[in-house]
Amino acid sequence: MPDLLFVYGTLMRGYAHPMARLLSANAEFLGQASCRGRLYRVKHYPGLVLSDDAAELVFGELYRLRAVEDLLREFDMYEACGEGFPEPTQYVRRMLAVTLADGSLTDAWTYIYNWPVETLARIESGRFL
């Protein structure tokens, strides 16, 4: 199973959330990264919607997970898209292409916002924090 995770919101370093601490304690921080997409403010957290437009970027961080399956199961529950949550879930975990600060590309897991965004405020900068 792929072991990379791209995060762009409450799981990022510097965010005082127990799940952010879980990630930092159980993964290697690989650096800043970005992906094509649009970022929206859902509530006190963001939602990423994918885009084909190269000018639309969401910025975040890339991690290499140590206990991949266990951690992904924990994050699936946190994002309310794990086993037992009714469909359609607010987020879905998917692989996507991310660009690292040095320009290299890789594929990583991330959580894509899965509900309508028409009434949500867009975060034009693509940066949540």
Side-chain angles (χ1 to χ4, degrees):
M1 173 174 280
D3 63 352
L4 298 180
L5 179 67
F6 173 73
V7 299
Y8 55 86
T10 59
L11 294 176
M12 292 173 61
R13 294 178 312 153
Y15 204 86
H17 191 282
M19 295 304 279
R21 289 193 296 275
L22 176 71
L23 177 60
S24 65
N26 292 284
E28 175 189 358
F29 174 69
L30 300 179
Q32 302 296 316
S34 63
C35 70
R36 287 187 183 180
R38 293 182 305 278
L39 200 59
Y40 293 89
R41 180 170 300 284
V42 180
K43 291 184 182 172
H44 59 281
Y45 54 90
L48 163 66
V49 176
L50 298 181
S51 172
D52 291 327
D53 186 339
E56 295 182 326
L57 294 176
V58 171
F59 299 90
E61 300 172 343
L62 188 65
Y63 290 85
R64 183 176 311 283
L65 304 177
R66 293 192 186 100
V68 180
E69 291 183 26
D70 292 340
L71 283 173
L72 288 177
R73 188 170 23 260
E74 287 291 324
F75 295 131
D76 286 354
M77 297 305 283
Y78 172 62
E79 301 291 356
C81 64
E83 189 175 316
F85 286 95
E87 298 284 339
T89 56
Q90 188 175 29
Y91 290 89
V92 292
R93 178 168 43 92
R94 297 282 183 264
M95 292 293 292
L96 81 159
V98 297
T99 305
L100 283 82
D102 66 4
S104 63
L105 292 172
T106 192
D107 289 332
W109 292 112
T110 198
Y111 291 90
I112 308 298
Y113 191 70
N114 194 38
W115 288 354
V117 296
E118 290 78 23
T119 62
L120 301 178
R122 173 127 181 240
I123 301 171
E124 295 290 340
S125 68
R127 297 177 191 279
F128 179 63
L129 297 179

